[in-house]
Amino acid sequence: MHVDGSLFSKLEQVFQTESDRPAFVTGGGVVTYGELNGRVSQYANALRALGVSPGDRVMVQVEKSIANVAVYLATLKIGAVFNPLNTAYTAAELAYFIGDAKPAVLVVDPSNKDGLEPVAKEAGVGHVETLGPDGSGSLASLAAKQPTTAETVARARDDLAALLYTSGTTGRSKGAMITHENLLSNAETLVDYWGFEGGDTLIHALPIFHVHGLFVALNTAFLSASKMLWLEKFDADAVLNLMPDATVLMGVPTFYTRLLASDGLTRACAEGMRLFVAGSAPLLAETHDAFTQRTGHRIVERYGMTEAGMITSNPYHTGERQAGTVGFALPGIDVRIATEDGVVLGADDVGVLEVRGPNVFKGYWQMPDKTAAEFRNDGFFISGDLATIASDGRVTIVGRAKDLIITGGYNVYPKEIETELNAIDGIGESAVIGVPHPDFGEGVVAVVTKDGAGAEIDADAIVGQLAARLAKFKQPKRVFVVDVLPRNAMGKVQKAELRSQFETALTDKQ
């Protein structure tokens, strides 16, 4: 039965109609859509047995697995809110998320349970369950005992489906409230725009705690009953081996630079592919062009963000895919360029990109003032990204208004790292910047001053001290000590000057 508004209800129709089709192909075999539907029901019953009710948060920090996907879908099925967390987050970082989201259930890797149980107990979390990358764990054991059928809870289009934390410029992460309509409308649009159909085979090598791998890849594949060749993580050789049996690859720019580094990337290898998608970070025009020369395929670069899913895309069916641009607003989505004060600008003017549509999130979890500040009165969300829109509607991202670093597809806000640096003995001030990195697009670099003339700073020791406080992708790849940080007349640190000074810090051969 189709329940209006529920993303899972729409997916369940596909799972039931296409029950014999393969959903996942892994090293361990094939999982059909019918089998997946049964597993989802088992996990739904398990979550209900743990007391999870509609609207409750299910927080998950586990490695990528089919069981992890089943937990995602089961959470939607019972009307709860899926709250995935980056597996690189430390216990110190998790403590904030747990206290803020107050999940009914926390699902973690078995190796992390002992360290997180006291934090969860203090925050009032009812249950801490485990799920390992091999599909084992307490939640898996509970699910295995459950029936393979379960009721699908009706949801309104505006009900929450997911809560995704995105870093904040103040250092405090914000929970983006994603609705069923946000996810369903975006997935349906992408299936049509990118030409997905049941005969497609997607190489899934992305993480699934992130919009790209979780919502863009999974939901489009599910809606079109496509087959997924499932990789736990990206490996260039593995992807190249799978490519002759696939039709679609979704990746971050790092995927494509690593594929280009392999002699195995050839026209013959990519002959059966119909679509290569790049996103989550800017794709260099040189990478785009080099990939075309090697394979004969032009990558479809798109643009999105946690708060709005996919916003623009270079064309798939007709029109030119231009390197260095992110294409046109997707159908049903409006974009415009404005000043920070909200004055709408004209064609080719540089300003902040604003977006409106059914894909745009509901707001920030328990932050009504922050939510109000990020929306215009006419419903446009202020992305914080600097862009231009050409007269034909083509969008080019030219920078970021917010102080953001994108490294390997992950967002890093310097303020969070600077707060940790400034707490270290011997450091007076710090400034964290992103500079070019040959593999990750941008890498994190810290520039610090001494706290007094007699202070001693060991750059290597600083990185070590941050290891227990920050996820690996946030940790500075290099730390530089300077006498003073450059400032303007108002006293603001001139990060542009620092970026220029240390531009080659991660590209020069050490």
Side-chain angles (χ1 to χ4, degrees):
M1 182 181 79
H2 176 57
V3 179
D4 285 341
S6 167
L7 167 64
F8 183 77
S9 179
K10 191 67 176 286
L11 298 181
E12 190 172 38
Q13 288 182 323
V14 178
F15 297 169
Q16 293 171 344
T17 304
E18 308 292 346
S19 60
D20 293 333
R21 279 187 182 269
F24 298 101
V25 178
T26 72
V30 176
V31 179
T32 66
Y33 274 104
E35 291 168 337
L36 175 63
N37 202 34
R39 291 190 196 182
V40 171
S41 288
Q42 288 183 303
Y43 276 97
N45 289 323
L47 291 173
R48 281 197 176 108
L50 294 171
V52 180
S53 300
D56 285 347
R57 277 73 61 207
V58 176
M59 182 178 284
V60 177
Q61 191 201 35
V62 300
E63 297 296 333
K64 182 179 179 180
S65 67
I66 304 299
N68 189 355
V69 175
V71 174
Y72 158 56
L73 294 171
T75 302
L76 297 181
K77 183 178 177 72
I78 66 173
V81 181
F82 190 64
N83 181 199
L85 296 177
N86 191 320
T87 51
Y89 285 144
T90 65
E93 290 168 310
L94 252 70
Y96 167 73
F97 299 127
I98 293 169
D100 190 58
K102 293 183 169 50
V105 173
L106 171 64
V107 186
V108 298
D109 188 272
S111 64
N112 295 333
K113 182 178 182 182
D114 289 346
L116 289 171
E117 266 192 318
V119 177
K121 183 178 181 180
E122 186 177 344
V125 177
H127 299 273
V128 179
E129 301 295 329
T130 61
L131 192 64
D134 59 354
S136 65
S138 63
L139 185 60
S141 297
L142 179 59
K145 303 171 186 174
Q146 305 298 321
T148 56
T149 58
E151 177 195 359
T152 298
V153 174
R155 292 279 84 186
R157 295 162 66 91
D158 198 39
D159 282 334
L160 293 194
L163 183 68
L164 267 64
Y165 280 94
T166 180
S167 296
T169 52
T170 62
R172 182 186 174 192
S173 293
K174 309 182 295 294
M177 298 186 291
I178 314 296
T179 69
H180 284 265
E181 180 180 30
N182 295 156
L183 297 180
L184 182 56
S185 68
N186 216 216
E188 289 177 330
T189 296
L190 293 175
V191 166
D192 181 62
Y193 199 81
W194 288 342
F196 269 84
E197 52 189 30
D200 271 315
T201 300
L202 168 71
I203 299 175
H204 197 302
L206 292 159
I208 55 172
F209 51 73
H210 191 271
V211 166
H212 197 171
L214 179 63
F215 298 146
V216 181
L218 286 180
N219 291 348
T220 51
F222 288 155
L223 274 182
S224 59
S226 296
K227 176 169 63 178
M228 282 178 272
L229 306 180
W230 192 252
L231 294 175
E232 291 181 3
K233 60 182 179 180
F234 175 80
D235 177 271
D237 290 338
V239 169
L240 289 168
N241 288 336
L242 293 175
M243 211 175 278
D245 299 317
T247 59
V248 181
L249 173 67
M250 294 185 186
V252 297
T254 303
F255 283 19
Y256 295 104
T257 60
R258 292 184 180 178
L259 288 172
L260 283 165
S262 172
D263 293 336
L265 182 67
T266 63
R267 284 180 181 256
C269 176
E271 187 177 9
M273 297 289 291
R274 71 168 187 85
L275 176 62
F276 291 93
V277 176
S280 301
L283 181 71
L284 294 177
E286 303 93 276
T287 303
H288 193 287
D289 294 338
F291 195 84
T292 301
Q293 291 173 11
R294 285 276 289 279
T295 66
H297 289 274
R298 290 188 68 75
I299 297 169
V300 172
E301 187 174 9
R302 80 330 176 256
Y303 163 76
M305 59 193 309
T306 302
E307 292 93 338
M310 295 306 97
I311 299 169
T312 73
S313 173
N314 271 273
Y316 172 71
H317 292 290
T318 57
E320 183 184 359
R321 302 174 196 173
Q322 285 188 12
T325 77
V326 293
F328 305 91
L330 289 165
I333 296 172
D334 297 319
V335 294
R336 70 187 184 194
I337 300 296
T339 66
E340 291 189 8
D341 295 330
V343 178
V344 178
L345 301 173
D348 300 319
D349 288 335
V350 175
V352 179
L353 186 74
E354 299 183 353
V355 56
R356 182 176 64 185
N359 58 311
V360 177
F361 77 137
K362 192 171 185 175
Y364 292 113
W365 177 256
Q366 297 182 342
M367 290 185 175
D369 292 343
K370 180 64 176 173
T371 299
E374 297 296 326
F375 280 89
R376 301 295 183 197
N377 292 335
D378 57 1
F380 275 85
F381 171 66
I382 306 165
S383 75
D385 288 322
L386 296 174
T388 64
I389 301 179
S391 57
D392 64 354
R394 190 181 294 272
V395 177
T396 301
I397 305 297
V398 299
R400 289 182 291 278
K402 296 175 181 177
D403 195 10
L404 174 67
I405 299 166
I406 300 181
T407 179
Y410 299 137
N411 291 356
V412 176
Y413 279 92
K415 183 66 177 178
E416 182 180 10
I417 307 167
E418 290 163 358
T419 299
E420 296 291 348
L421 285 167
N422 295 342
I424 295 175
D425 288 342
I427 292 179
E429 296 179 303
S430 66
V432 171
I433 56 173
V435 300
H437 187 284
D439 201 17
F440 299 114
E442 282 185 303
V444 178
V445 164
V447 185
V448 302
T449 64
K450 294 181 180 181
D451 183 19
E456 294 293 332
I457 296 180
D458 182 337
D460 292 335
I462 289 171
V463 175
Q465 286 178 265
L466 293 177
R469 304 292 304 170
L470 296 170
K472 189 173 178 62
F473 65 88
K474 298 179 186 177
Q475 296 166 23
K477 300 196 177 300
R478 293 193 69 184
V479 176
F480 294 93
V481 182
V482 297
D483 292 332
V484 293
L485 296 175
R487 298 179 181 274
N488 65 12
M490 300 300 291
K492 184 176 180 180
V493 174
Q494 297 298 280
K495 290 193 173 181
E497 187 174 326
L498 289 174
R499 281 190 288 268
S500 176
Q501 183 179 348
F502 296 103
E503 184 176 15
T504 61
L506 302 181
T507 53
D508 282 345
K509 293 191 181 299
Q510 305 299 310

